[in-house]
Amino acid sequence: MAEVAQETTYVRHHKQKIAFILSAMRHFAEELRERNFVVDYSRLDDAENRGSFTGELTRAVARHRPERVVVTEPGEWRVRAMMDLWPEQLHLPVEIRTDDRFLCSLADFGLWARDRKTYRMEFFYREMRRRTGILMDGENPCGGRWNFDAANRQRLSHTIKPPERFGSAPDPITRDVLELVRARFGDHFGGLEGFSWAVTRREALSALDHFVLKALPFFGDYQDAMALHEPFLFHALLSPYLNIGLLLPREVCQAAEDAFRHGHAPINAVEGFVRQILGWREYVRGIYWLEMPHFATTNALAADRPLPWFYWSGETQMNCMASTIADTWRNAYAHHIQRLMVTGNFALLTGIRPAELEEWYLAVYADAFDWVELPNTHGMVLYADGGLLASKPYAASGAYINTMSNYCDTCPYSPKIKIGPGACPFNFLYWNFLIQKRAFLERNPRMTMPYRTLDRMSQDRRRAILQQARAFLERL
Ligand code: FAD
Ligand code: SF4
């Protein structure tokens, strides 16, 4: 096992993300040694460390003189390209094994996708339910329907209090890593205070129990809600553990299903949660490997604006943006709707360059790895793939954010003002986006309604929208 500098800095990852991964690696190495495995481990600050996977593997090959190298397929195209060079560089056979921490292998995804004109997640998800038997009663979906999304759109009320976050106190191994990260990556985005991610399998299993017991019953109802100073709501906070292998997708789905079968959580919560893991998570991975490397190069909406600096500093008057970025800085976490409908929506409406936004998302979240970050940002958020992943852009005005959150209550802008002084920027940016991208979007049947509304607006109003958006974008 090797900690390598290249992986910690090829994007400037959040400090907590680096600490989380290094600490989990060191704990895992210890557990293996306790079970009498021989572990050859190089640390980031070892004098001899060459700082890259290839460099460290070359050194290890010189030490151990193996007959062959066996690795698991990686989570990133960039690393796969590196691995493909190893047989020649090392003069050894290299066996790349299937990553069995997923429920759908890449080969099976390829078979599912073959001969399909569109790859809609919902069909993939149903297939996965059938194939795994998760949340099934024989041939039928539990509760009689595949999807209970329509029940999952509640705003958080004052009377509902989300549970405390599950936390693990740093032990000496983690404290060492926190020191290392403070010293070496002090200028990276994000704070380390209150670091409490689980770093062992045992702790991750406790985090899963905590979620199932305390949050899952309300997960569905408040899945799309956002609230000031409530960064976690009823979300699982399990993605970092799933993505580095401390938890496995089947056991997580099984724990949720058991909660439903024992009457502890309702079907809308459990189905909504299972869909994220069995559906979205497996689906975006399949799309990533099916479509890379071309996928990353598309830019269907010709977005070419640099990423505004406030994505890093949080300095903006837009309360929803400032809060989401502050949560991200503090926790290396924001939940899905913050990522999609706040920072993502803003980037879509303002036409941020895909590569710059992708780098931001890859850097700032503890759960971010290319196979899952890229399809979500490039496809779901930016529609840069032209609709391969999402059937329409997730563009929304301030009204959506106002309906689903309390951010607007304390914002200097008003979601009710559409244009002129005090208007919420999401409002005029939304209509500006529809006007600017009309040629590309208006034939999409799911965009008919917004274009009809746009066409009912007077010429003067449309002109005013364009003017205010232009002035705002120039200042950006
Ligand atoms: P919950 O809301 O409790 O959901 C449960 C689980 O479902 C998650 O743990 C996760 O494993 C899975 N999941 C939910 N939505 C998705 C999705 N769209 N794609 C894949 N898995 C999903 N997720 C990552 O794991 N890594 C990323 O780098 C990442 N980047 C994202 C970037 C953008 C722009 C967007 C819109 C979403 C991104 N997501 C990413 C998906 C999702 O936002 C996170 O998985 C989720 O917020 C993790 O928090 P949670 O564990 O509390 O999730
Ligand atoms: Fe965000 Fe607009 Fe609401 Fe302010 S008014 S919080 S900018 S949606």
Side-chain angles (χ1 to χ4, degrees):
M1 292 173 74
E3 301 172 356
V4 294
Q6 193 178 49
E7 298 305 312
T8 56
T9 50
Y10 78 98
V11 299
R12 293 161 60 79
H13 302 287
H14 195 297
K15 295 186 198 76
Q16 285 194 33
K17 179 181 182 185
I18 300 176
F20 164 64
I21 294 172
L22 296 188
S23 177
M25 285 173 67
R26 290 184 184 188
H27 279 93
F28 185 49
E30 281 311 302
E31 283 167 27
L32 290 172
R33 286 188 183 117
E34 276 160 23
R35 289 161 60 190
N36 295 326
F37 282 91
V38 175
V39 183
D40 183 353
Y41 193 101
S42 51
R43 289 179 175 229
L44 203 62
D45 41 8
D46 285 349
E48 308 283 289
N49 191 319
R50 292 199 192 158
S52 69
F53 283 145
T54 303
E56 280 308 273
L57 183 57
T58 308
R59 270 197 332 128
V61 164
R63 281 196 299 275
H64 298 286
R65 303 192 172 281
E67 283 168 18
R68 61 188 176 132
V69 173
V70 181
V71 288
T72 304
E73 58 194 0
E76 204 163 315
W77 180 266
R78 179 185 60 89
V79 179
R80 175 68 205 224
M82 218 184 275
M83 285 180 173
D84 287 338
L85 298 176
W86 286 347
E88 205 176 308
Q89 290 171 335
L90 303 170
H91 308 291
L92 279 175
V94 175
E95 186 186 333
I96 302 178
R97 289 197 182 160
T98 297
D99 188 343
D100 60 6
R101 297 167 305 170
F102 289 90
L103 290 163
C104 183
S105 70
L106 299 178
D108 283 348
F109 191 87
L111 287 178
W112 175 81
R114 204 177 55 187
D115 305 330
R116 273 173 204 267
K117 285 208 188 77
T118 55
Y119 308 134
R120 289 290 162 247
M121 197 294 286
E122 188 62 30
F123 299 121
F124 169 76
Y125 166 58
R126 291 180 192 183
E127 174 87 17
M128 287 299 288
R129 293 268 298 272
R130 285 196 198 92
R131 203 187 289 174
T132 57
I134 293 172
L135 268 193
M136 296 293 290
D137 285 330
E139 291 292 297
N140 301 314
C142 285
R145 294 211 313 262
W146 293 104
N147 186 320
F148 290 79
D149 218 14
N152 293 354
R153 308 237 189 279
Q154 290 192 41
R155 192 181 201 262
L156 196 74
S157 77
H158 298 300
T159 52
I160 304 285
K161 194 80 199 120
E164 288 288 301
R165 173 187 183 177
F166 172 85
S168 301
D171 67 359
I173 295 182
T174 301
R175 287 203 293 274
D176 265 6
V177 170
L178 291 173
E179 268 321 300
L180 172 79
V181 172
R182 246 181 227 112
R184 254 184 100 144
F185 307 103
D187 58 346
H188 282 212
F189 178 87
L192 277 178
E193 292 69 34
F195 179 97
S196 61
W197 294 103
V199 289
T200 63
R201 170 141 172 89
R202 187 195 298 225
E203 290 174 350
L205 284 169
S206 301
L208 172 61
D209 286 348
H210 177 88
F211 164 67
V212 170
L213 198 65
K214 306 267 172 133
L216 178 63
F218 301 96
F219 175 87
D221 294 350
Y222 302 108
Q223 194 179 348
D224 287 2
M226 297 176 280
L228 199 62
H229 309 311
E230 290 288 1
F232 311 119
L233 295 170
F234 296 93
H235 290 276
L237 276 84
L238 295 178
S239 49
Y241 311 138
L242 282 161
N243 294 352
I244 70 167
L246 290 179
L247 291 176
L248 296 170
R250 183 179 279 280
E251 70 190 352
V252 171
C253 292
Q254 195 57 55
E257 176 168 356
D258 291 349
F260 166 67
R261 297 214 183 265
H262 294 127
H264 174 64
I267 186 70
N268 70 308
V270 172
E271 187 283 314
F273 178 71
V274 164
R275 177 153 27 92
Q276 306 311 314
I277 293 178
L278 191 58
W280 280 110
R281 185 170 184 273
E282 299 282 334
Y283 167 80
V284 296
R285 175 177 182 256
I287 293 282
Y288 177 87
W289 288 105
L290 198 65
E291 297 294 323
M292 280 297 276
H294 173 68
F295 185 77
T297 64
T298 55
N299 189 357
L301 296 178
D304 68 351
R305 194 174 305 282
L307 185 76
W309 179 248
F310 68 72
Y311 270 76
W312 298 107
S313 70
E315 287 166 344
T316 163
Q317 291 201 304
M318 291 177 282
N319 203 19
C320 53
M321 292 289 285
S323 306
T324 299
I325 295 166
D327 288 346
T328 301
W329 192 90
R330 240 186 327 266
N331 304 315
Y333 177 87
H335 63 74
H336 186 66
I337 297 301
Q338 292 176 300
R339 297 187 206 194
L340 181 64
M341 301 310 292
V342 179
T343 43
N345 187 22
F346 186 83
L348 170 71
L349 299 183
T350 55
I352 305 303
R353 285 178 197 143
E356 292 190 25
L357 189 73
E358 285 147 24
E359 182 176 332
W360 185 79
Y361 276 104
L362 189 59
V364 301
Y365 292 115
D367 60 20
F369 296 89
D370 209 45
W371 64 267
V372 52
E373 175 278 319
L374 189 78
N376 273 294
T377 311
H378 196 86
M380 198 186 296
V381 160
L382 290 179
Y383 208 70
D385 60 358
L388 183 85
L389 205 124
S391 55
K392 77 173 185 55
Y394 280 89
S397 70
Y400 175 87
I401 296 174
N402 190 32
T403 306
M404 296 315 302
S405 79
N406 60 0
Y407 291 138
C408 306
D409 302 354
T410 46
C411 182
Y413 300 107
S414 166
K416 303 237 161 61
I417 307 178
K418 308 281 187 258
I419 193 120
C424 165
F426 281 91
N427 287 344
F428 52 80
L429 290 173
Y430 173 75
W431 292 112
N432 176 67
F433 172 76
L434 289 194
I435 296 169
Q436 305 288 351
K437 303 298 169 195
R438 181 161 202 150
F440 190 77
L441 296 177
E442 76 175 337
R443 268 164 298 155
N444 183 327
R446 296 198 62 203
M447 298 302 286
T448 309
M449 284 291 280
Y451 277 109
R452 266 197 208 135
T453 311
L454 178 68
D455 289 341
R456 282 199 295 271
M457 282 181 198
S458 69
Q459 280 291 352
D460 282 353
R461 196 171 174 77
R462 270 187 265 176
R463 211 170 295 127
I465 287 171
L466 288 174
Q467 238 168 33
Q468 192 161 3
R470 193 178 318 119
F472 180 90
L473 291 170
E474 274 168 14
R475 284 201 312 275
L476 206 59

